[in-house]
Short mmCIF file of all heavy atoms in Angstrom, two decimals:
data_model
loop_
_atom_site.label_atom_id
_atom_site.label_comp_id
_atom_site.label_asym_id
_atom_site.label_seq_id
_atom_site.Cartn_x
_atom_site.Cartn_y
_atom_site.Cartn_z
N MET A 666 56.27 29.67 125.91
CA MET A 666 55.64 30.16 127.11
C MET A 666 54.49 29.21 127.44
O MET A 666 53.82 28.70 126.56
CB MET A 666 55.11 31.58 126.86
CG MET A 666 54.23 32.07 127.96
SD MET A 666 53.52 33.74 127.84
CE MET A 666 53.55 34.17 126.16
N LYS A 667 54.28 28.99 128.72
CA LYS A 667 53.18 28.13 129.17
C LYS A 667 52.30 28.89 130.15
O LYS A 667 52.78 29.70 130.93
CB LYS A 667 53.71 26.86 129.82
CG LYS A 667 54.41 25.97 128.82
CD LYS A 667 54.87 24.70 129.45
CE LYS A 667 55.60 23.87 128.42
NZ LYS A 667 56.10 22.62 128.97
N LEU A 668 51.02 28.61 130.07
CA LEU A 668 50.04 29.15 131.00
C LEU A 668 49.31 27.97 131.62
O LEU A 668 49.16 26.92 131.00
CB LEU A 668 49.03 30.04 130.27
CG LEU A 668 49.57 31.24 129.50
CD1 LEU A 668 48.46 31.90 128.70
CD2 LEU A 668 50.20 32.23 130.46
N TYR A 669 48.82 28.16 132.83
CA TYR A 669 48.06 27.12 133.51
C TYR A 669 46.68 27.67 133.86
O TYR A 669 46.56 28.79 134.34
CB TYR A 669 48.80 26.67 134.78
CG TYR A 669 50.13 26.05 134.46
CD1 TYR A 669 51.27 26.83 134.38
CD2 TYR A 669 50.23 24.69 134.20
CE1 TYR A 669 52.50 26.27 134.06
CE2 TYR A 669 51.45 24.12 133.89
CZ TYR A 669 52.58 24.91 133.81
OH TYR A 669 53.78 24.36 133.49
N THR A 670 45.66 26.86 133.64
CA THR A 670 44.29 27.28 133.86
C THR A 670 43.44 26.09 134.31
O THR A 670 43.87 24.94 134.19
CB THR A 670 43.71 27.92 132.57
OG1 THR A 670 42.39 28.37 132.81
CG2 THR A 670 43.70 26.94 131.42
N THR A 671 42.27 26.38 134.80
CA THR A 671 41.35 25.30 135.18
C THR A 671 40.25 25.12 134.14
O THR A 671 39.50 24.15 134.20
CB THR A 671 40.72 25.57 136.55
OG1 THR A 671 40.08 26.85 136.53
CG2 THR A 671 41.77 25.53 137.65
N SER A 672 40.13 26.07 133.20
CA SER A 672 39.14 25.92 132.13
C SER A 672 39.62 26.67 130.90
O SER A 672 40.39 27.62 131.00
CB SER A 672 37.78 26.46 132.58
OG SER A 672 37.86 27.85 132.79
N ILE A 673 39.17 26.22 129.74
CA ILE A 673 39.53 26.87 128.49
C ILE A 673 38.29 26.93 127.59
O ILE A 673 37.36 26.15 127.76
CB ILE A 673 40.65 26.11 127.74
CG1 ILE A 673 40.23 24.66 127.47
CG2 ILE A 673 41.96 26.16 128.49
CD1 ILE A 673 41.14 23.94 126.53
N PRO A 674 38.28 27.85 126.62
CA PRO A 674 37.17 27.87 125.67
C PRO A 674 37.28 26.67 124.73
O PRO A 674 38.33 26.03 124.65
CB PRO A 674 37.37 29.19 124.92
CG PRO A 674 38.83 29.46 125.03
CD PRO A 674 39.25 28.90 126.36
N GLN A 675 36.21 26.38 124.01
CA GLN A 675 36.21 25.23 123.09
C GLN A 675 37.25 25.40 121.99
O GLN A 675 37.85 24.44 121.54
CB GLN A 675 34.84 25.02 122.48
CG GLN A 675 33.86 24.42 123.46
CD GLN A 675 32.56 24.04 122.78
OE1 GLN A 675 32.17 24.64 121.79
NE2 GLN A 675 31.89 23.05 123.32
N ALA A 676 37.44 26.62 121.52
CA ALA A 676 38.39 26.87 120.43
C ALA A 676 39.50 27.79 120.91
O ALA A 676 39.24 28.86 121.43
CB ALA A 676 37.66 27.49 119.25
N LEU A 677 40.72 27.34 120.74
CA LEU A 677 41.89 28.16 121.04
C LEU A 677 42.49 28.64 119.72
O LEU A 677 42.33 27.98 118.70
CB LEU A 677 42.93 27.35 121.80
CG LEU A 677 42.64 26.99 123.24
CD1 LEU A 677 43.70 26.02 123.77
CD2 LEU A 677 42.60 28.23 124.10
N PRO A 678 43.20 29.76 119.73
CA PRO A 678 43.88 30.20 118.51
C PRO A 678 44.91 29.16 118.08
O PRO A 678 45.36 28.34 118.89
CB PRO A 678 44.58 31.50 118.93
CG PRO A 678 44.01 31.88 120.24
CD PRO A 678 43.40 30.67 120.85
N SER A 679 45.32 29.20 116.82
CA SER A 679 46.27 28.22 116.29
C SER A 679 47.61 28.25 117.02
O SER A 679 48.34 27.27 117.03
CB SER A 679 46.49 28.45 114.80
OG SER A 679 47.01 29.74 114.57
N TRP A 680 47.94 29.37 117.65
CA TRP A 680 49.22 29.50 118.35
C TRP A 680 49.17 29.04 119.80
O TRP A 680 50.17 29.11 120.52
CB TRP A 680 49.75 30.93 118.26
CG TRP A 680 48.73 32.00 118.48
CD1 TRP A 680 48.02 32.67 117.52
CD2 TRP A 680 48.31 32.54 119.74
NE1 TRP A 680 47.19 33.58 118.10
CE2 TRP A 680 47.34 33.53 119.46
CE3 TRP A 680 48.65 32.29 121.05
CZ2 TRP A 680 46.71 34.27 120.46
CZ3 TRP A 680 48.03 33.01 122.05
CH2 TRP A 680 47.07 33.99 121.75
N ALA A 681 48.03 28.53 120.26
CA ALA A 681 47.89 28.03 121.63
C ALA A 681 47.48 26.55 121.58
O ALA A 681 46.54 26.19 120.88
CB ALA A 681 46.84 28.84 122.38
N THR A 682 48.21 25.72 122.31
CA THR A 682 47.97 24.28 122.28
C THR A 682 47.87 23.74 123.71
O THR A 682 48.67 24.11 124.57
CB THR A 682 49.15 23.56 121.59
OG1 THR A 682 49.35 24.14 120.30
CG2 THR A 682 48.88 22.08 121.43
N ILE A 683 46.92 22.84 123.93
CA ILE A 683 46.82 22.17 125.23
C ILE A 683 47.91 21.11 125.29
O ILE A 683 48.00 20.25 124.43
CB ILE A 683 45.43 21.52 125.41
CG1 ILE A 683 44.35 22.59 125.41
CG2 ILE A 683 45.40 20.70 126.70
CD1 ILE A 683 42.95 22.03 125.38
N VAL A 684 48.76 21.21 126.31
CA VAL A 684 49.85 20.27 126.49
C VAL A 684 49.42 19.11 127.38
O VAL A 684 49.70 17.96 127.11
CB VAL A 684 51.10 20.97 127.09
CG1 VAL A 684 52.21 19.98 127.36
CG2 VAL A 684 51.57 22.07 126.17
N SER A 685 48.72 19.45 128.48
CA SER A 685 48.25 18.41 129.38
C SER A 685 47.03 18.89 130.14
O SER A 685 46.75 20.08 130.21
CB SER A 685 49.35 17.99 130.37
OG SER A 685 49.66 19.07 131.23
N ASN A 686 46.31 17.93 130.66
CA ASN A 686 45.13 18.20 131.47
C ASN A 686 45.12 17.17 132.59
O ASN A 686 44.57 16.09 132.45
CB ASN A 686 43.86 18.12 130.63
CG ASN A 686 42.63 18.52 131.39
OD1 ASN A 686 42.66 18.70 132.60
ND2 ASN A 686 41.52 18.64 130.69
N ASN A 687 45.79 17.50 133.69
CA ASN A 687 45.93 16.58 134.81
C ASN A 687 45.25 17.14 136.05
O ASN A 687 45.56 18.25 136.46
CB ASN A 687 47.41 16.32 135.12
CG ASN A 687 48.10 15.60 133.99
OD1 ASN A 687 47.55 14.69 133.39
ND2 ASN A 687 49.32 16.02 133.68
N ALA A 688 44.37 16.37 136.61
CA ALA A 688 43.69 16.72 137.86
C ALA A 688 43.05 18.10 137.79
O ALA A 688 43.07 18.86 138.75
CB ALA A 688 44.66 16.63 139.04
N GLY A 689 42.49 18.44 136.63
CA GLY A 689 41.78 19.70 136.49
C GLY A 689 42.66 20.91 136.22
O GLY A 689 42.17 22.02 136.09
N LEU A 690 43.99 20.71 136.11
CA LEU A 690 44.89 21.80 135.80
C LEU A 690 45.34 21.64 134.35
O LEU A 690 45.99 20.66 134.00
CB LEU A 690 46.10 21.81 136.73
CG LEU A 690 47.05 22.99 136.57
CD1 LEU A 690 46.35 24.31 136.91
CD2 LEU A 690 48.27 22.81 137.46
N ILE A 691 44.97 22.59 133.52
CA ILE A 691 45.24 22.52 132.08
C ILE A 691 46.48 23.35 131.76
O ILE A 691 46.56 24.52 132.12
CB ILE A 691 44.04 23.04 131.27
CG1 ILE A 691 42.79 22.24 131.64
CG2 ILE A 691 44.32 22.97 129.78
CD1 ILE A 691 41.50 22.88 131.20
N GLU A 692 47.43 22.74 131.11
CA GLU A 692 48.66 23.42 130.69
C GLU A 692 48.51 23.80 129.22
O GLU A 692 48.27 22.95 128.36
CB GLU A 692 49.85 22.49 130.87
CG GLU A 692 51.18 23.09 130.49
CD GLU A 692 52.33 22.12 130.73
OE1 GLU A 692 52.08 20.93 131.00
OE2 GLU A 692 53.47 22.57 130.63
N VAL A 693 48.65 25.10 128.93
CA VAL A 693 48.52 25.62 127.56
C VAL A 693 49.88 26.17 127.14
O VAL A 693 50.46 27.00 127.84
CB VAL A 693 47.45 26.73 127.48
CG1 VAL A 693 47.35 27.29 126.07
CG2 VAL A 693 46.10 26.20 127.94
N GLU A 694 50.38 25.70 126.01
CA GLU A 694 51.66 26.20 125.50
C GLU A 694 51.39 27.20 124.38
O GLU A 694 50.55 26.97 123.51
CB GLU A 694 52.52 25.06 124.98
CG GLU A 694 53.90 25.50 124.56
CD GLU A 694 54.85 24.34 124.39
OE1 GLU A 694 54.39 23.23 124.06
OE2 GLU A 694 56.04 24.53 124.61
N ILE A 695 52.12 28.32 124.41
CA ILE A 695 51.99 29.38 123.42
C ILE A 695 53.17 29.29 122.46
O ILE A 695 54.33 29.29 122.89
CB ILE A 695 51.98 30.77 124.09
CG1 ILE A 695 50.89 30.86 125.15
CG2 ILE A 695 51.87 31.87 123.06
CD1 ILE A 695 49.49 30.73 124.65
N ASN A 696 52.90 29.23 121.16
CA ASN A 696 53.94 29.26 120.14
C ASN A 696 54.26 30.72 119.86
O ASN A 696 53.59 31.38 119.07
CB ASN A 696 53.48 28.55 118.87
CG ASN A 696 54.51 28.62 117.75
OD1 ASN A 696 55.57 29.21 117.91
ND2 ASN A 696 54.17 28.04 116.62
N ASP A 697 55.31 31.22 120.50
CA ASP A 697 55.63 32.64 120.38
C ASP A 697 56.30 33.00 119.06
O ASP A 697 56.64 34.15 118.83
CB ASP A 697 56.47 33.11 121.56
CG ASP A 697 57.78 32.36 121.72
OD1 ASP A 697 58.09 31.50 120.87
OD2 ASP A 697 58.49 32.65 122.69
N GLU A 698 56.47 32.03 118.17
CA GLU A 698 57.01 32.31 116.84
C GLU A 698 55.91 32.45 115.79
O GLU A 698 56.18 32.81 114.65
CB GLU A 698 58.00 31.23 116.44
CG GLU A 698 59.23 31.20 117.35
CD GLU A 698 60.25 30.16 116.96
OE1 GLU A 698 60.16 29.61 115.84
OE2 GLU A 698 61.14 29.88 117.77
N ASP A 699 54.68 32.18 116.14
CA ASP A 699 53.55 32.25 115.21
C ASP A 699 53.20 33.70 114.89
O ASP A 699 53.15 34.54 115.79
CB ASP A 699 52.35 31.53 115.84
CG ASP A 699 51.18 31.41 114.88
OD1 ASP A 699 50.46 32.41 114.71
OD2 ASP A 699 51.00 30.32 114.33
N SER A 700 52.95 34.00 113.63
CA SER A 700 52.64 35.38 113.23
C SER A 700 51.34 35.88 113.86
O SER A 700 51.21 37.07 114.17
CB SER A 700 52.57 35.49 111.71
OG SER A 700 51.56 34.66 111.18
N GLY A 701 50.39 34.99 114.08
CA GLY A 701 49.14 35.38 114.74
C GLY A 701 49.38 35.82 116.17
O GLY A 701 48.77 36.78 116.65
N PHE A 702 50.29 35.14 116.85
CA PHE A 702 50.63 35.52 118.20
C PHE A 702 51.33 36.88 118.20
O PHE A 702 51.06 37.72 119.04
CB PHE A 702 51.52 34.46 118.86
CG PHE A 702 51.96 34.83 120.25
CD1 PHE A 702 51.05 34.80 121.30
CD2 PHE A 702 53.26 35.20 120.51
CE1 PHE A 702 51.45 35.15 122.59
CE2 PHE A 702 53.67 35.55 121.79
CZ PHE A 702 52.76 35.52 122.83
N HIS A 703 52.22 37.10 117.24
CA HIS A 703 52.91 38.39 117.15
C HIS A 703 51.93 39.54 116.95
O HIS A 703 52.11 40.62 117.52
CB HIS A 703 53.96 38.38 116.03
CG HIS A 703 55.20 37.63 116.41
ND1 HIS A 703 56.21 38.20 117.12
CD2 HIS A 703 55.56 36.33 116.20
CE1 HIS A 703 57.16 37.30 117.33
NE2 HIS A 703 56.78 36.16 116.78
N SER A 704 50.87 39.31 116.19
CA SER A 704 49.85 40.34 115.99
C SER A 704 49.17 40.69 117.31
O SER A 704 48.93 41.87 117.60
CB SER A 704 48.80 39.86 114.99
OG SER A 704 49.36 39.68 113.72
N ILE A 705 48.85 39.68 118.10
CA ILE A 705 48.22 39.90 119.40
C ILE A 705 49.17 40.65 120.33
O ILE A 705 48.77 41.58 121.04
CB ILE A 705 47.78 38.55 120.05
CG1 ILE A 705 46.69 37.90 119.22
CG2 ILE A 705 47.35 38.74 121.49
CD1 ILE A 705 45.40 38.67 119.13
N VAL A 706 50.44 40.27 120.32
CA VAL A 706 51.43 40.93 121.17
C VAL A 706 51.54 42.40 120.82
O VAL A 706 51.56 43.27 121.69
CB VAL A 706 52.81 40.23 121.08
CG1 VAL A 706 53.91 41.07 121.69
CG2 VAL A 706 52.75 38.86 121.75
N GLU A 707 51.58 42.71 119.52
CA GLU A 707 51.64 44.11 119.09
C GLU A 707 50.41 44.88 119.55
O GLU A 707 50.51 46.02 120.00
CB GLU A 707 51.79 44.19 117.58
CG GLU A 707 53.15 43.76 117.08
CD GLU A 707 53.26 43.75 115.56
OE1 GLU A 707 52.42 44.40 114.89
OE2 GLU A 707 54.17 43.08 115.06
N GLU A 708 49.25 44.24 119.47
CA GLU A 708 47.99 44.89 119.88
C GLU A 708 47.95 45.14 121.38
O GLU A 708 47.45 46.17 121.84
CB GLU A 708 46.82 43.99 119.47
CG GLU A 708 45.47 44.50 119.84
CD GLU A 708 44.36 43.52 119.47
OE1 GLU A 708 44.47 42.85 118.43
OE2 GLU A 708 43.39 43.43 120.24
N LEU A 709 48.48 44.20 122.17
CA LEU A 709 48.40 44.29 123.63
C LEU A 709 49.58 45.00 124.29
O LEU A 709 49.52 45.28 125.48
CB LEU A 709 48.29 42.88 124.22
CG LEU A 709 47.04 42.08 123.89
CD1 LEU A 709 47.15 40.67 124.46
CD2 LEU A 709 45.80 42.77 124.39
N SER A 710 50.64 45.28 123.54
CA SER A 710 51.84 45.89 124.12
C SER A 710 51.54 47.24 124.75
O SER A 710 50.87 48.08 124.17
CB SER A 710 52.92 46.06 123.05
OG SER A 710 53.42 44.82 122.66
N THR A 711 52.02 47.40 125.99
CA THR A 711 51.87 48.65 126.72
C THR A 711 53.15 48.90 127.50
O THR A 711 53.99 48.01 127.65
CB THR A 711 50.69 48.60 127.72
OG1 THR A 711 50.92 47.55 128.65
CG2 THR A 711 49.36 48.41 127.04
N GLU A 712 53.27 50.08 128.05
CA GLU A 712 54.41 50.38 128.91
C GLU A 712 54.08 49.84 130.30
O GLU A 712 53.22 50.35 131.00
CB GLU A 712 54.67 51.89 128.96
CG GLU A 712 55.96 52.23 129.66
CD GLU A 712 56.35 53.68 129.51
OE1 GLU A 712 55.44 54.55 129.50
OE2 GLU A 712 57.55 53.95 129.43
N ILE A 713 54.76 48.77 130.67
CA ILE A 713 54.51 48.09 131.94
C ILE A 713 55.06 48.92 133.10
O ILE A 713 54.46 49.02 134.16
CB ILE A 713 55.11 46.68 131.94
CG1 ILE A 713 54.40 45.84 130.87
CG2 ILE A 713 55.01 46.01 133.29
CD1 ILE A 713 54.99 44.48 130.64
N GLN A 714 56.22 49.47 132.90
CA GLN A 714 56.84 50.41 133.82
C GLN A 714 57.66 51.36 132.97
O GLN A 714 57.88 51.06 131.80
CB GLN A 714 57.68 49.69 134.88
CG GLN A 714 58.83 48.86 134.35
CD GLN A 714 59.55 48.13 135.47
OE1 GLN A 714 59.19 48.21 136.63
NE2 GLN A 714 60.60 47.42 135.13
N PRO A 715 58.09 52.48 133.49
CA PRO A 715 58.80 53.45 132.66
C PRO A 715 59.96 52.83 131.88
O PRO A 715 60.85 52.19 132.45
CB PRO A 715 59.32 54.47 133.68
CG PRO A 715 58.32 54.40 134.80
CD PRO A 715 57.94 52.94 134.86
N GLY A 716 59.88 52.93 130.56
CA GLY A 716 60.92 52.41 129.69
C GLY A 716 60.83 50.94 129.35
O GLY A 716 61.64 50.43 128.59
N VAL A 717 59.83 50.23 129.89
CA VAL A 717 59.69 48.79 129.65
C VAL A 717 58.36 48.54 128.94
O VAL A 717 57.29 48.81 129.48
CB VAL A 717 59.75 47.97 130.96
CG1 VAL A 717 59.54 46.49 130.68
CG2 VAL A 717 61.06 48.21 131.67
N ILE A 718 58.46 48.01 127.71
CA ILE A 718 57.26 47.70 126.92
C ILE A 718 57.07 46.19 126.97
O ILE A 718 58.01 45.42 126.81
CB ILE A 718 57.42 48.16 125.46
CG1 ILE A 718 57.74 49.66 125.38
CG2 ILE A 718 56.19 47.80 124.64
CD1 ILE A 718 56.64 50.54 125.90
N GLY A 719 55.83 45.74 127.16
CA GLY A 719 55.55 44.32 127.20
C GLY A 719 54.06 44.06 127.23
O GLY A 719 53.24 44.95 127.03
N VAL A 720 53.71 42.81 127.46
CA VAL A 720 52.32 42.37 127.52
C VAL A 720 52.08 41.75 128.88
O VAL A 720 52.85 40.88 129.32
CB VAL A 720 52.01 41.34 126.41
CG1 VAL A 720 50.61 40.78 126.55
CG2 VAL A 720 52.21 41.95 125.04
N LYS A 721 51.05 42.19 129.55
CA LYS A 721 50.70 41.61 130.85
C LYS A 721 50.01 40.27 130.62
O LYS A 721 49.17 40.13 129.74
CB LYS A 721 49.77 42.54 131.61
CG LYS A 721 50.42 43.84 132.01
CD LYS A 721 49.46 44.73 132.77
CE LYS A 721 50.14 46.03 133.16
NZ LYS A 721 49.22 46.92 133.86
N ALA A 722 50.39 39.26 131.41
CA ALA A 722 49.79 37.93 131.29
C ALA A 722 48.28 37.99 131.44
O ALA A 722 47.55 37.28 130.75
CB ALA A 722 50.40 36.99 132.33
N GLU A 723 47.81 38.88 132.31
CA GLU A 723 46.37 39.04 132.53
C GLU A 723 45.66 39.42 131.22
O GLU A 723 44.60 38.89 130.91
CB GLU A 723 46.14 40.11 133.58
CG GLU A 723 44.68 40.43 133.84
CD GLU A 723 44.52 41.57 134.85
OE1 GLU A 723 45.52 42.09 135.38
OE2 GLU A 723 43.36 41.91 135.11
N ASN A 724 46.26 40.32 130.44
CA ASN A 724 45.66 40.75 129.18
C ASN A 724 45.67 39.63 128.14
O ASN A 724 44.72 39.46 127.39
CB ASN A 724 46.36 41.99 128.64
CG ASN A 724 46.17 43.19 129.53
OD1 ASN A 724 45.27 43.24 130.37
ND2 ASN A 724 47.03 44.17 129.39
N LEU A 725 46.76 38.86 128.11
CA LEU A 725 46.84 37.74 127.18
C LEU A 725 45.78 36.69 127.53
O LEU A 725 45.09 36.17 126.65
CB LEU A 725 48.23 37.12 127.21
CG LEU A 725 48.46 35.94 126.28
CD1 LEU A 725 48.18 36.30 124.83
CD2 LEU A 725 49.88 35.41 126.45
N CYS A 726 45.62 36.40 128.80
CA CYS A 726 44.61 35.43 129.23
C CYS A 726 43.20 35.90 128.90
O CYS A 726 42.34 35.11 128.54
CB CYS A 726 44.74 35.15 130.73
SG CYS A 726 46.20 34.18 131.13
N GLN A 727 42.98 37.21 128.99
CA GLN A 727 41.67 37.75 128.65
C GLN A 727 41.37 37.51 127.17
O GLN A 727 40.26 37.13 126.81
CB GLN A 727 41.63 39.23 128.98
CG GLN A 727 40.26 39.84 128.81
CD GLN A 727 40.22 41.29 129.27
OE1 GLN A 727 41.25 41.93 129.47
NE2 GLN A 727 39.02 41.81 129.41
N ILE A 728 42.37 37.69 126.30
CA ILE A 728 42.20 37.43 124.87
C ILE A 728 41.89 35.95 124.63
O ILE A 728 41.06 35.60 123.81
CB ILE A 728 43.46 37.84 124.07
CG1 ILE A 728 43.62 39.36 124.05
CG2 ILE A 728 43.46 37.27 122.66
CD1 ILE A 728 42.61 40.10 123.19
N LEU A 729 42.55 35.08 125.38
CA LEU A 729 42.34 33.64 125.25
C LEU A 729 41.05 33.18 125.92
O LEU A 729 40.63 32.04 125.75
CB LEU A 729 43.51 32.87 125.84
CG LEU A 729 44.80 32.88 125.05
CD1 LEU A 729 45.93 32.29 125.88
CD2 LEU A 729 44.63 32.11 123.76
N ASN A 730 40.47 34.04 126.74
CA ASN A 730 39.27 33.71 127.51
C ASN A 730 39.54 32.59 128.51
O ASN A 730 38.75 31.66 128.65
CB ASN A 730 38.09 33.37 126.58
CG ASN A 730 36.78 33.43 127.32
OD1 ASN A 730 36.62 34.17 128.28
ND2 ASN A 730 35.82 32.65 126.88
N ILE A 731 40.70 32.69 129.19
CA ILE A 731 41.04 31.73 130.23
C ILE A 731 41.42 32.49 131.50
O ILE A 731 41.77 33.66 131.45
CB ILE A 731 42.19 30.78 129.84
CG1 ILE A 731 43.50 31.55 129.63
CG2 ILE A 731 41.82 29.96 128.62
CD1 ILE A 731 44.70 30.67 129.39
N GLU A 732 41.35 31.80 132.63
CA GLU A 732 41.77 32.38 133.90
C GLU A 732 43.12 31.79 134.25
O GLU A 732 43.28 30.58 134.36
CB GLU A 732 40.76 32.06 134.99
CG GLU A 732 41.11 32.67 136.32
CD GLU A 732 40.09 32.35 137.39
OE1 GLU A 732 38.95 31.96 137.06
OE2 GLU A 732 40.44 32.49 138.56
N MET A 733 44.12 32.64 134.41
CA MET A 733 45.46 32.18 134.71
C MET A 733 45.55 31.72 136.16
O MET A 733 44.98 32.33 137.05
CB MET A 733 46.46 33.30 134.46
CG MET A 733 47.90 32.88 134.57
SD MET A 733 49.05 34.16 134.10
CE MET A 733 48.81 35.34 135.41
N ILE A 734 46.29 30.64 136.38
CA ILE A 734 46.51 30.08 137.71
C ILE A 734 47.98 30.28 138.04
O ILE A 734 48.86 29.96 137.25
CB ILE A 734 46.18 28.57 137.75
CG1 ILE A 734 44.74 28.32 137.33
CG2 ILE A 734 46.48 27.99 139.11
CD1 ILE A 734 43.71 28.94 138.22
N ASP A 735 48.29 30.79 139.22
CA ASP A 735 49.66 30.96 139.67
C ASP A 735 50.10 29.67 140.34
O ASP A 735 49.69 29.37 141.46
CB ASP A 735 49.77 32.14 140.64
CG ASP A 735 51.20 32.43 141.07
OD1 ASP A 735 52.11 31.65 140.71
OD2 ASP A 735 51.38 33.43 141.78
N THR A 736 50.95 28.89 139.66
CA THR A 736 51.39 27.61 140.21
C THR A 736 52.42 27.79 141.32
O THR A 736 52.77 26.84 141.99
CB THR A 736 51.97 26.71 139.12
OG1 THR A 736 53.08 27.38 138.49
CG2 THR A 736 50.92 26.34 138.09
N ASN A 737 52.94 29.01 141.50
CA ASN A 737 53.90 29.28 142.57
C ASN A 737 53.23 29.71 143.86
O ASN A 737 53.87 29.81 144.89
CB ASN A 737 54.89 30.38 142.14
CG ASN A 737 55.76 29.91 141.00
OD1 ASN A 737 56.21 28.78 140.99
ND2 ASN A 737 55.95 30.78 140.04
N GLU A 738 51.93 29.96 143.80
CA GLU A 738 51.18 30.44 144.96
C GLU A 738 50.97 29.34 145.96
O GLU A 738 50.56 28.24 145.62
CB GLU A 738 49.83 30.99 144.47
CG GLU A 738 49.01 31.67 145.53
CD GLU A 738 47.74 32.24 144.94
OE1 GLU A 738 47.81 33.28 144.28
OE2 GLU A 738 46.69 31.62 145.13
N GLU A 739 51.30 29.61 147.23
CA GLU A 739 51.07 28.62 148.28
C GLU A 739 49.63 28.72 148.76
O GLU A 739 49.11 29.79 148.98
CB GLU A 739 52.03 28.85 149.44
CG GLU A 739 53.47 28.57 149.08
CD GLU A 739 54.38 28.71 150.27
OE1 GLU A 739 53.91 28.55 151.42
OE2 GLU A 739 55.56 28.97 150.06
N ASN A 740 48.99 27.57 148.95
CA ASN A 740 47.61 27.54 149.42
C ASN A 740 47.54 27.31 150.89
O ASN A 740 48.20 26.64 151.50
CB ASN A 740 46.80 26.47 148.68
CG ASN A 740 46.65 26.85 147.22
OD1 ASN A 740 46.59 28.03 146.89
ND2 ASN A 740 46.61 25.85 146.36
#
């Protein structure tokens, strides 16, 4: 999984890696096989809609202390 942001904290968890930093847009890759990431997912899991359990990207970004950027959004 990848997230895009314009700023990141000095220290990221071991399961999050900066892939690129081009023109102020930082690409962060999440290792979804890491046990530390699985712990966070279990902690953040909620019922997103009836019968669907998952993690909202907004909540994951809050844990990482980053602001998510929607690269599909037209300006």
Side-chain angles (χ1 to χ4, degrees):
M666 169 179 22
K667 293 183 182 179
L668 302 173
Y669 297 90
T670 182
T671 56
S672 65
I673 58 169
Q675 286 188 331
L677 288 172
S679 60
W680 43 265
T682 305
I683 297 172
V684 176
S685 66
N686 185 351
N687 294 319
L690 186 63
I691 303 165
E692 181 179 10
V693 178
E694 185 165 30
I695 305 296
N696 177 0
D697 59 3
E698 296 181 14
D699 187 281
S700 61
F702 178 72
H703 283 276
S704 296
I705 294 297
V706 167
E707 288 176 19
E708 179 183 325
L709 295 175
S710 291
T711 60
E712 189 170 36
I713 296 173
Q714 61 183 2
V717 177
I718 304 296
V720 175
K721 294 180 180 178
E723 177 183 358
N724 294 342
L725 180 58
C726 289
Q727 187 175 14
I728 291 289
L729 287 170
N730 197 28
I731 64 173
E732 182 179 342
M733 187 173 68
I734 302 297
D735 184 354
T736 59
N737 294 319
E738 187 176 283
E739 292 184 25
N740 293 328

